Amino acid sequence: MKDASVASGYRTNETTVYCCRYHIIFCPKYRRKVLTEQIAKRFKEIVVSLKDDMGFCIIEMEVMPDHVHLLLDIDPNVGVLAVVKRIKGQSAIV
């Protein structure tokens, strides 16, 4: 899944021009293969719904049976830690 708005490179907000891209990988406990096709579909929906709230763009997203790869362009004012915390927290609750 790609977001075409970040394909050009730099993004801006009121005071900053940035290109902060992070490759984030995380996995379930003990790397068990629990991310089935239905769970992967729902996880992608959750991440897409959070992108407008948190101000990040999805460049690539891939869900494997035992781990998740995300390539995100994140506003430096928000921070990568806050985005990952929100994605993992929201997906665990839902």
Side-chain angles (χ1 to χ4, degrees):
M1 171 177 238
K2 290 187 177 184
D3 191 346
S5 66
V6 286
S8 63
Y10 297 102
R11 295 177 53 205
T12 62
N13 58 22
E14 295 89 24
T15 59
T16 311
V17 176
Y18 63 92
C19 181
C20 297
R21 295 180 178 178
Y22 299 95
H23 183 198
I24 302 163
I25 304 169
F26 56 89
C27 58
K29 191 172 185 178
Y30 305 119
R31 203 161 175 131
R32 292 189 176 129
K33 298 183 182 202
V34 295
L35 301 173
T36 61
E37 201 169 308
Q38 293 137 346
I39 294 172
K41 182 180 176 187
R42 182 65 180 133
F43 177 80
K44 288 178 181 179
E45 291 171 359
I46 292 167
V47 173
V48 169
S49 70
L50 288 174
K51 80 175 190 171
D52 293 329
D53 294 339
M54 296 294 292
F56 64 88
C57 290
I58 302 166
I59 300 170
E60 291 282 339
M61 178 171 28
E62 189 67 37
V63 180
M64 306 295 200
D66 62 344
H67 65 282
V68 175
H69 285 270
L70 296 170
L71 183 60
L72 305 177
D73 190 4
I74 300 173
D75 186 342
N77 294 330
V78 175
V80 67
L81 179 64
V83 171
V84 172
K85 182 178 177 181
R86 183 83 180 269
I87 288 172
K88 288 181 79 173
Q90 192 69 31
S91 64
I93 290 169
V94 173

